[in-house]
Short mmCIF file of all heavy atoms in Angstrom, two decimals:
data_model
loop_
_atom_site.label_atom_id
_atom_site.label_comp_id
_atom_site.label_asym_id
_atom_site.label_seq_id
_atom_site.Cartn_x
_atom_site.Cartn_y
_atom_site.Cartn_z
N MET A 1 60.37 129.16 107.15
CA MET A 1 60.87 127.82 107.11
C MET A 1 60.23 127.06 105.95
O MET A 1 60.91 126.33 105.24
CB MET A 1 60.60 127.12 108.43
CG MET A 1 61.17 125.74 108.48
SD MET A 1 61.05 124.96 110.07
CE MET A 1 59.59 123.99 109.84
N VAL A 2 58.96 127.23 105.76
CA VAL A 2 58.26 126.52 104.68
C VAL A 2 58.78 126.96 103.32
O VAL A 2 58.99 126.13 102.43
CB VAL A 2 56.74 126.74 104.79
CG1 VAL A 2 56.01 126.14 103.61
CG2 VAL A 2 56.21 126.17 106.08
N LEU A 3 59.04 128.25 103.17
CA LEU A 3 59.57 128.74 101.89
C LEU A 3 60.96 128.17 101.61
O LEU A 3 61.28 127.85 100.47
CB LEU A 3 59.61 130.26 101.89
CG LEU A 3 58.26 130.96 101.85
CD1 LEU A 3 58.43 132.46 101.97
CD2 LEU A 3 57.53 130.62 100.58
N LYS A 4 61.78 128.05 102.65
CA LYS A 4 63.11 127.47 102.45
C LYS A 4 63.01 126.01 102.05
O LYS A 4 63.78 125.54 101.22
CB LYS A 4 63.94 127.62 103.72
CG LYS A 4 64.50 129.00 103.92
CD LYS A 4 65.30 129.08 105.18
CE LYS A 4 66.68 128.53 104.97
NZ LYS A 4 67.56 128.75 106.15
N VAL A 5 62.07 125.27 102.64
CA VAL A 5 61.90 123.86 102.29
C VAL A 5 61.45 123.74 100.84
O VAL A 5 61.93 122.89 100.09
CB VAL A 5 60.90 123.17 103.24
CG1 VAL A 5 60.53 121.79 102.73
CG2 VAL A 5 61.48 123.07 104.63
N VAL A 6 60.54 124.59 100.42
CA VAL A 6 60.06 124.55 99.04
C VAL A 6 61.19 124.93 98.08
O VAL A 6 61.38 124.29 97.04
CB VAL A 6 58.85 125.49 98.85
CG1 VAL A 6 58.50 125.65 97.39
CG2 VAL A 6 57.66 124.97 99.64
N ALA A 7 61.97 125.94 98.43
CA ALA A 7 63.03 126.39 97.53
C ALA A 7 64.20 125.41 97.48
O ALA A 7 64.76 125.15 96.41
CB ALA A 7 63.53 127.75 97.99
N MET A 8 64.58 124.84 98.62
CA MET A 8 65.76 124.00 98.69
C MET A 8 65.46 122.51 98.55
O MET A 8 66.36 121.73 98.25
CB MET A 8 66.48 124.24 100.02
CG MET A 8 66.99 125.64 100.21
SD MET A 8 67.58 125.94 101.88
CE MET A 8 69.03 124.92 101.92
N GLY A 9 64.24 122.12 98.81
CA GLY A 9 63.90 120.71 98.89
C GLY A 9 64.03 120.24 100.33
O GLY A 9 64.62 120.91 101.16
N LEU A 10 63.48 119.07 100.63
CA LEU A 10 63.48 118.63 102.03
C LEU A 10 64.71 117.79 102.36
O LEU A 10 65.52 118.16 103.20
CB LEU A 10 62.20 117.87 102.35
CG LEU A 10 61.97 117.54 103.81
CD1 LEU A 10 61.85 118.81 104.63
CD2 LEU A 10 60.74 116.69 103.98
N VAL A 11 64.88 116.64 101.71
CA VAL A 11 65.98 115.75 102.09
C VAL A 11 66.70 115.12 100.91
O VAL A 11 67.83 114.69 101.04
CB VAL A 11 65.45 114.60 102.99
CG1 VAL A 11 66.58 113.83 103.60
CG2 VAL A 11 64.55 115.11 104.07
N ALA A 12 66.10 115.04 99.76
CA ALA A 12 66.60 114.17 98.68
C ALA A 12 67.97 114.56 98.13
O ALA A 12 68.82 113.71 97.93
CB ALA A 12 65.58 114.14 97.55
N ALA A 13 68.24 115.81 97.85
CA ALA A 13 69.49 116.23 97.21
C ALA A 13 70.55 116.60 98.26
O ALA A 13 70.25 116.76 99.43
CB ALA A 13 69.21 117.42 96.30
N PRO A 14 71.79 116.76 97.84
CA PRO A 14 72.87 117.07 98.79
C PRO A 14 72.73 118.41 99.52
O PRO A 14 73.14 118.53 100.65
CB PRO A 14 74.13 117.08 97.92
CG PRO A 14 73.79 116.28 96.73
CD PRO A 14 72.31 116.46 96.52
N ASN A 15 72.18 119.43 98.88
CA ASN A 15 72.08 120.76 99.51
C ASN A 15 70.66 121.10 99.93
O ASN A 15 70.22 122.23 99.77
CB ASN A 15 72.61 121.83 98.55
CG ASN A 15 74.09 121.68 98.32
OD1 ASN A 15 74.82 121.31 99.21
ND2 ASN A 15 74.52 121.95 97.11
N THR A 16 69.95 120.16 100.48
CA THR A 16 68.56 120.40 100.86
C THR A 16 68.46 120.93 102.28
O THR A 16 69.46 121.06 102.99
CB THR A 16 67.75 119.11 100.73
OG1 THR A 16 68.36 118.10 101.53
CG2 THR A 16 67.67 118.65 99.29
N TYR A 17 67.24 121.23 102.69
CA TYR A 17 66.99 121.91 103.96
C TYR A 17 67.47 121.12 105.18
O TYR A 17 68.14 121.65 106.05
CB TYR A 17 65.49 122.22 104.08
CG TYR A 17 65.15 123.05 105.28
CD1 TYR A 17 65.45 124.40 105.31
CD2 TYR A 17 64.53 122.49 106.39
CE1 TYR A 17 65.15 125.17 106.40
CE2 TYR A 17 64.23 123.26 107.49
CZ TYR A 17 64.54 124.59 107.49
OH TYR A 17 64.25 125.36 108.59
N LEU A 18 67.13 119.86 105.24
CA LEU A 18 67.46 119.08 106.44
C LEU A 18 68.89 118.54 106.44
O LEU A 18 69.28 117.84 107.36
CB LEU A 18 66.47 117.93 106.61
CG LEU A 18 65.07 118.36 107.00
CD1 LEU A 18 64.17 117.15 107.13
CD2 LEU A 18 65.04 119.16 108.27
N ARG A 19 69.70 118.88 105.47
CA ARG A 19 71.11 118.47 105.45
C ARG A 19 71.97 119.44 106.24
O ARG A 19 73.12 119.16 106.53
CB ARG A 19 71.64 118.38 104.03
CG ARG A 19 70.91 117.42 103.16
CD ARG A 19 71.42 116.04 103.33
NE ARG A 19 70.66 115.17 102.42
CZ ARG A 19 70.92 113.92 102.29
NH1 ARG A 19 71.88 113.36 102.96
NH2 ARG A 19 70.19 113.19 101.48
N SER A 20 71.44 120.61 106.59
CA SER A 20 72.18 121.62 107.35
C SER A 20 71.88 121.46 108.84
O SER A 20 70.72 121.35 109.25
CB SER A 20 71.78 123.01 106.88
OG SER A 20 72.28 123.98 107.77
N GLY A 21 72.90 121.50 109.64
CA GLY A 21 72.73 121.39 111.08
C GLY A 21 71.95 122.55 111.68
O GLY A 21 71.16 122.38 112.61
N TRP A 22 72.16 123.75 111.13
CA TRP A 22 71.45 124.92 111.65
C TRP A 22 69.97 124.82 111.34
O TRP A 22 69.13 125.22 112.15
CB TRP A 22 72.04 126.20 111.07
CG TRP A 22 73.41 126.48 111.56
CD1 TRP A 22 74.55 126.47 110.82
CD2 TRP A 22 73.81 126.76 112.91
NE1 TRP A 22 75.63 126.75 111.62
CE2 TRP A 22 75.20 126.94 112.90
CE3 TRP A 22 73.13 126.90 114.11
CZ2 TRP A 22 75.92 127.24 114.05
CZ3 TRP A 22 73.85 127.20 115.26
CH2 TRP A 22 75.22 127.37 115.22
N ASN A 23 69.62 124.30 110.19
CA ASN A 23 68.20 124.13 109.85
C ASN A 23 67.56 123.06 110.72
O ASN A 23 66.39 123.18 111.10
CB ASN A 23 68.03 123.81 108.37
CG ASN A 23 68.38 124.99 107.50
OD1 ASN A 23 68.31 126.13 107.91
ND2 ASN A 23 68.78 124.71 106.28
N LEU A 24 68.30 122.02 111.07
CA LEU A 24 67.79 121.01 111.99
C LEU A 24 67.52 121.63 113.36
O LEU A 24 66.54 121.29 114.03
CB LEU A 24 68.76 119.85 112.12
CG LEU A 24 68.81 118.89 110.96
CD1 LEU A 24 69.94 117.89 111.15
CD2 LEU A 24 67.49 118.18 110.81
N LEU A 25 68.39 122.53 113.77
CA LEU A 25 68.18 123.24 115.04
C LEU A 25 66.90 124.07 114.98
O LEU A 25 66.11 124.07 115.94
CB LEU A 25 69.38 124.13 115.35
CG LEU A 25 69.29 124.97 116.60
CD1 LEU A 25 69.31 124.08 117.84
CD2 LEU A 25 70.43 125.96 116.64
N ASP A 26 66.67 124.75 113.88
CA ASP A 26 65.44 125.52 113.71
C ASP A 26 64.20 124.64 113.78
O ASP A 26 63.20 125.00 114.41
CB ASP A 26 65.45 126.29 112.39
CG ASP A 26 66.41 127.46 112.41
OD1 ASP A 26 66.81 127.89 113.50
OD2 ASP A 26 66.76 127.94 111.32
N VAL A 27 64.26 123.48 113.15
CA VAL A 27 63.13 122.56 113.18
C VAL A 27 62.86 122.09 114.61
O VAL A 27 61.72 122.02 115.05
CB VAL A 27 63.37 121.36 112.23
CG1 VAL A 27 62.36 120.27 112.46
CG2 VAL A 27 63.34 121.82 110.79
N ALA A 28 63.92 121.79 115.35
CA ALA A 28 63.76 121.34 116.73
C ALA A 28 63.14 122.42 117.59
O ALA A 28 62.26 122.15 118.43
CB ALA A 28 65.11 120.92 117.30
N ILE A 29 63.55 123.67 117.40
CA ILE A 29 63.00 124.78 118.17
C ILE A 29 61.52 124.98 117.85
O ILE A 29 60.69 125.17 118.74
CB ILE A 29 63.81 126.06 117.91
CG1 ILE A 29 65.20 125.93 118.52
CG2 ILE A 29 63.10 127.29 118.46
CD1 ILE A 29 66.15 127.01 118.11
N ILE A 30 61.19 124.92 116.59
CA ILE A 30 59.80 125.12 116.18
C ILE A 30 58.91 123.98 116.69
O ILE A 30 57.80 124.21 117.17
CB ILE A 30 59.71 125.29 114.66
CG1 ILE A 30 60.32 126.63 114.28
CG2 ILE A 30 58.27 125.21 114.17
CD1 ILE A 30 60.51 126.84 112.81
N CYS A 31 59.41 122.75 116.60
CA CYS A 31 58.62 121.61 117.10
C CYS A 31 58.39 121.68 118.60
O CYS A 31 57.29 121.40 119.07
CB CYS A 31 59.31 120.30 116.73
SG CYS A 31 59.21 119.92 114.98
N THR A 32 59.41 122.05 119.36
CA THR A 32 59.20 122.19 120.81
C THR A 32 58.24 123.31 121.13
O THR A 32 57.48 123.22 122.09
CB THR A 32 60.53 122.41 121.55
OG1 THR A 32 61.29 123.40 120.88
CG2 THR A 32 61.30 121.16 121.73
N GLY A 33 58.26 124.35 120.34
CA GLY A 33 57.29 125.43 120.54
C GLY A 33 55.87 124.96 120.32
O GLY A 33 54.96 125.27 121.10
N TYR A 34 55.66 124.19 119.27
CA TYR A 34 54.32 123.66 119.00
C TYR A 34 53.87 122.67 120.08
O TYR A 34 52.71 122.65 120.48
CB TYR A 34 54.26 122.99 117.63
CG TYR A 34 54.18 123.95 116.47
CD1 TYR A 34 54.90 123.73 115.31
CD2 TYR A 34 53.39 125.09 116.54
CE1 TYR A 34 54.83 124.60 114.24
CE2 TYR A 34 53.32 125.96 115.48
CZ TYR A 34 54.03 125.73 114.34
OH TYR A 34 53.97 126.59 113.29
N ILE A 35 54.80 121.86 120.55
CA ILE A 35 54.46 120.90 121.60
C ILE A 35 54.07 121.62 122.88
O ILE A 35 53.11 121.26 123.55
CB ILE A 35 55.63 119.93 121.84
CG1 ILE A 35 55.80 119.00 120.65
CG2 ILE A 35 55.43 119.11 123.11
CD1 ILE A 35 57.07 118.18 120.67
N SER A 36 54.80 122.67 123.22
CA SER A 36 54.47 123.41 124.44
C SER A 36 53.17 124.18 124.30
O SER A 36 52.43 124.33 125.27
CB SER A 36 55.61 124.34 124.83
OG SER A 36 55.76 125.38 123.87
N LEU A 37 52.88 124.68 123.10
CA LEU A 37 51.60 125.37 122.89
C LEU A 37 50.42 124.42 123.00
O LEU A 37 49.36 124.79 123.51
CB LEU A 37 51.58 126.03 121.51
CG LEU A 37 52.33 127.34 121.37
CD1 LEU A 37 52.30 127.81 119.92
CD2 LEU A 37 51.76 128.40 122.27
N ALA A 38 50.61 123.20 122.52
CA ALA A 38 49.54 122.21 122.58
C ALA A 38 49.33 121.69 124.00
O ALA A 38 48.26 121.18 124.32
CB ALA A 38 49.84 121.05 121.63
N GLY A 39 50.35 121.84 124.84
CA GLY A 39 50.22 121.42 126.22
C GLY A 39 50.37 119.92 126.43
O GLY A 39 49.93 119.39 127.44
N TYR A 40 50.99 119.24 125.49
CA TYR A 40 51.15 117.79 125.60
C TYR A 40 52.21 117.39 126.62
O TYR A 40 52.10 116.37 127.26
CB TYR A 40 51.50 117.16 124.25
CG TYR A 40 50.36 117.19 123.29
CD1 TYR A 40 50.48 117.84 122.06
CD2 TYR A 40 49.15 116.59 123.58
CE1 TYR A 40 49.44 117.86 121.16
CE2 TYR A 40 48.10 116.61 122.69
CZ TYR A 40 48.25 117.25 121.49
OH TYR A 40 47.21 117.29 120.61
N ALA A 41 53.26 118.16 126.72
CA ALA A 41 54.36 117.76 127.59
C ALA A 41 55.03 119.00 128.17
O ALA A 41 54.90 120.11 127.65
CB ALA A 41 55.37 116.94 126.82
N ASN A 42 55.74 118.78 129.25
CA ASN A 42 56.53 119.85 129.85
C ASN A 42 57.89 119.87 129.15
O ASN A 42 58.73 119.01 129.38
CB ASN A 42 56.68 119.59 131.35
CG ASN A 42 57.37 120.74 132.04
OD1 ASN A 42 57.64 121.77 131.44
ND2 ASN A 42 57.64 120.56 133.32
N VAL A 43 58.10 120.83 128.32
CA VAL A 43 59.32 120.90 127.52
C VAL A 43 60.24 122.03 127.99
O VAL A 43 60.98 122.59 127.20
CB VAL A 43 58.99 121.06 126.02
CG1 VAL A 43 58.40 119.81 125.45
CG2 VAL A 43 58.09 122.24 125.79
N THR A 44 60.22 122.30 129.27
CA THR A 44 61.03 123.39 129.81
C THR A 44 62.51 123.14 129.57
O THR A 44 63.25 124.06 129.23
CB THR A 44 60.77 123.55 131.31
OG1 THR A 44 59.37 123.65 131.51
CG2 THR A 44 61.43 124.79 131.85
N ALA A 45 62.95 121.92 129.75
CA ALA A 45 64.37 121.60 129.54
C ALA A 45 64.76 121.76 128.08
O ALA A 45 65.89 122.17 127.77
CB ALA A 45 64.65 120.17 130.00
N LEU A 46 63.86 121.48 127.17
CA LEU A 46 64.18 121.60 125.75
C LEU A 46 64.19 123.05 125.26
O LEU A 46 64.72 123.33 124.19
CB LEU A 46 63.18 120.79 124.92
CG LEU A 46 63.23 119.28 125.15
CD1 LEU A 46 62.12 118.61 124.36
CD2 LEU A 46 64.57 118.72 124.77
N ARG A 47 63.63 123.93 126.05
CA ARG A 47 63.66 125.34 125.64
C ARG A 47 65.05 125.93 125.70
O ARG A 47 65.32 126.97 125.11
CB ARG A 47 62.71 126.15 126.52
CG ARG A 47 61.28 125.88 126.22
CD ARG A 47 60.40 126.78 127.01
NE ARG A 47 59.00 126.43 126.77
CZ ARG A 47 58.01 126.92 127.46
NH1 ARG A 47 58.23 127.76 128.43
NH2 ARG A 47 56.78 126.57 127.18
N GLY A 48 65.95 125.26 126.38
CA GLY A 48 67.34 125.70 126.41
C GLY A 48 67.99 125.65 125.04
O GLY A 48 68.99 126.32 124.80
N ILE A 49 67.41 124.89 124.16
CA ILE A 49 67.92 124.82 122.78
C ILE A 49 67.83 126.19 122.11
O ILE A 49 68.66 126.53 121.27
CB ILE A 49 67.14 123.76 121.98
CG1 ILE A 49 67.37 122.38 122.57
CG2 ILE A 49 67.52 123.77 120.52
CD1 ILE A 49 66.50 121.32 121.94
N ARG A 50 66.87 126.97 122.52
CA ARG A 50 66.72 128.31 121.91
C ARG A 50 67.94 129.18 122.13
O ARG A 50 68.21 130.09 121.35
CB ARG A 50 65.50 129.01 122.50
CG ARG A 50 64.21 128.42 122.05
CD ARG A 50 63.06 129.21 122.59
NE ARG A 50 61.81 128.53 122.34
CZ ARG A 50 60.67 128.89 122.84
NH1 ARG A 50 60.61 129.93 123.64
NH2 ARG A 50 59.57 128.23 122.55
N ALA A 51 68.69 128.91 123.19
CA ALA A 51 69.90 129.69 123.46
C ALA A 51 70.96 129.46 122.40
O ALA A 51 71.86 130.29 122.22
CB ALA A 51 70.44 129.35 124.84
N LEU A 52 70.88 128.37 121.68
CA LEU A 52 71.86 128.08 120.63
C LEU A 52 71.61 128.87 119.36
O LEU A 52 72.50 128.99 118.52
CB LEU A 52 71.84 126.59 120.31
CG LEU A 52 72.24 125.65 121.42
CD1 LEU A 52 72.03 124.21 120.98
CD2 LEU A 52 73.68 125.88 121.82
N ARG A 53 70.45 129.41 119.23
CA ARG A 53 70.10 130.11 117.99
C ARG A 53 70.97 131.34 117.70
O ARG A 53 71.35 131.56 116.54
CB ARG A 53 68.63 130.50 118.03
CG ARG A 53 68.05 130.43 116.68
CD ARG A 53 66.59 130.32 116.70
NE ARG A 53 66.19 130.31 115.29
CZ ARG A 53 65.02 130.57 114.87
NH1 ARG A 53 64.07 130.81 115.72
NH2 ARG A 53 64.74 130.55 113.60
N PRO A 54 71.32 132.14 118.71
CA PRO A 54 72.22 133.28 118.41
C PRO A 54 73.59 132.84 117.91
O PRO A 54 74.27 133.63 117.24
CB PRO A 54 72.33 134.01 119.75
CG PRO A 54 71.11 133.65 120.48
CD PRO A 54 70.78 132.26 120.06
N LEU A 55 74.00 131.62 118.19
CA LEU A 55 75.28 131.14 117.67
C LEU A 55 75.30 131.11 116.15
O LEU A 55 76.35 131.27 115.53
CB LEU A 55 75.59 129.76 118.22
CG LEU A 55 75.90 129.68 119.70
CD1 LEU A 55 76.08 128.24 120.12
CD2 LEU A 55 77.12 130.49 120.04
N ARG A 56 74.15 130.93 115.56
CA ARG A 56 74.06 130.93 114.10
C ARG A 56 74.46 132.29 113.56
O ARG A 56 75.20 132.39 112.57
CB ARG A 56 72.64 130.58 113.68
CG ARG A 56 72.46 130.52 112.20
CD ARG A 56 71.06 130.14 111.87
NE ARG A 56 70.94 129.88 110.45
CZ ARG A 56 69.86 129.43 109.87
NH1 ARG A 56 68.81 129.15 110.57
NH2 ARG A 56 69.83 129.22 108.58
N THR A 57 74.00 133.34 114.20
CA THR A 57 74.35 134.69 113.78
C THR A 57 75.84 134.94 113.95
O THR A 57 76.49 135.53 113.10
CB THR A 57 73.55 135.73 114.59
OG1 THR A 57 72.17 135.43 114.46
CG2 THR A 57 73.81 137.12 114.10
N ILE A 58 76.37 134.48 115.05
CA ILE A 58 77.79 134.70 115.32
C ILE A 58 78.66 133.99 114.29
O ILE A 58 79.67 134.53 113.84
CB ILE A 58 78.14 134.22 116.75
CG1 ILE A 58 77.46 135.14 117.76
CG2 ILE A 58 79.64 134.19 116.98
CD1 ILE A 58 77.55 134.66 119.18
N THR A 59 78.27 132.80 113.89
CA THR A 59 79.08 132.08 112.90
C THR A 59 78.96 132.68 111.50
O THR A 59 79.86 132.52 110.68
CB THR A 59 78.69 130.59 112.83
OG1 THR A 59 77.32 130.48 112.52
CG2 THR A 59 78.99 129.90 114.14
N ARG A 60 77.89 133.37 111.22
CA ARG A 60 77.72 133.96 109.89
C ARG A 60 78.42 135.30 109.75
O ARG A 60 78.82 135.68 108.65
CB ARG A 60 76.24 134.13 109.57
CG ARG A 60 75.56 132.81 109.44
CD ARG A 60 74.58 132.84 108.37
NE ARG A 60 74.02 131.50 108.19
CZ ARG A 60 73.08 131.23 107.38
NH1 ARG A 60 72.55 132.18 106.66
NH2 ARG A 60 72.63 130.01 107.26
N ILE A 61 78.55 136.04 110.84
CA ILE A 61 79.21 137.34 110.80
C ILE A 61 80.66 137.15 111.24
O ILE A 61 80.93 136.87 112.40
CB ILE A 61 78.48 138.36 111.71
CG1 ILE A 61 77.04 138.52 111.23
CG2 ILE A 61 79.21 139.69 111.70
CD1 ILE A 61 76.18 139.36 112.15
N LYS A 62 81.58 137.32 110.34
CA LYS A 62 82.99 137.01 110.61
C LYS A 62 83.60 137.92 111.66
O LYS A 62 84.49 137.51 112.38
CB LYS A 62 83.78 137.07 109.31
CG LYS A 62 83.42 136.00 108.34
CD LYS A 62 84.23 136.08 107.08
CE LYS A 62 83.77 134.97 106.14
NZ LYS A 62 84.53 134.99 104.90
N LYS A 63 83.15 139.16 111.77
CA LYS A 63 83.71 140.08 112.75
C LYS A 63 83.33 139.71 114.18
O LYS A 63 83.98 140.13 115.11
CB LYS A 63 83.26 141.51 112.45
CG LYS A 63 83.85 142.07 111.19
CD LYS A 63 83.41 143.48 110.97
CE LYS A 63 84.00 144.05 109.71
NZ LYS A 63 83.55 145.43 109.48
N MET A 64 82.29 138.92 114.36
CA MET A 64 81.87 138.55 115.71
C MET A 64 82.62 137.32 116.23
O MET A 64 82.52 136.98 117.40
CB MET A 64 80.36 138.27 115.73
CG MET A 64 79.55 139.50 115.51
SD MET A 64 77.79 139.18 115.64
CE MET A 64 77.61 139.07 117.40
N LYS A 65 83.39 136.67 115.36
CA LYS A 65 84.15 135.49 115.81
C LYS A 65 85.25 135.93 116.67
O LYS A 65 86.09 136.08 117.07
CB LYS A 65 84.64 134.67 114.63
CG LYS A 65 83.53 133.95 113.93
CD LYS A 65 84.09 133.11 112.82
CE LYS A 65 83.00 132.38 112.10
NZ LYS A 65 83.46 131.58 111.00
#
């Protein structure tokens, strides 16, 4: 994720990292993982977001549609 941010930029240009919905999903998943590791909050409900991640693969592979 860090390499993609460095290569694409964060927010300033039109094709940057946080302009993509799938990348925003990745950021949300990683942040909830860090929050749960730190033990600050019960994020069990937010872990359901991880189920959306395989959809990214399905949308990229045309034969799986």
Side-chain angles (χ1 to χ4, degrees):
M1 183 173 97
V2 174
L3 290 175
K4 283 180 80 173
V5 170
V6 170
M8 297 171 69
L10 189 62
V11 191
N15 293 325
T16 57
Y17 186 74
L18 290 180
R19 301 275 181 176
S20 168
W22 292 114
N23 291 335
L24 285 173
L25 178 67
D26 288 342
V27 168
I29 291 169
I30 290 170
C31 288
T32 46
Y34 283 139
I35 291 170
S36 67
L37 282 176
Y40 290 121
N42 186 5
V43 290
T44 308
L46 295 175
R47 288 185 184 170
I49 296 173
R50 289 184 189 171
L52 296 174
R53 214 160 178 199
L55 291 176
R56 181 178 189 174
T57 305
I58 292 171
T59 58
R60 293 218 175 176
I61 300 173
K62 293 181 181 180
K63 291 182 180 179
M64 292 183 77
K65 289 183 180 178

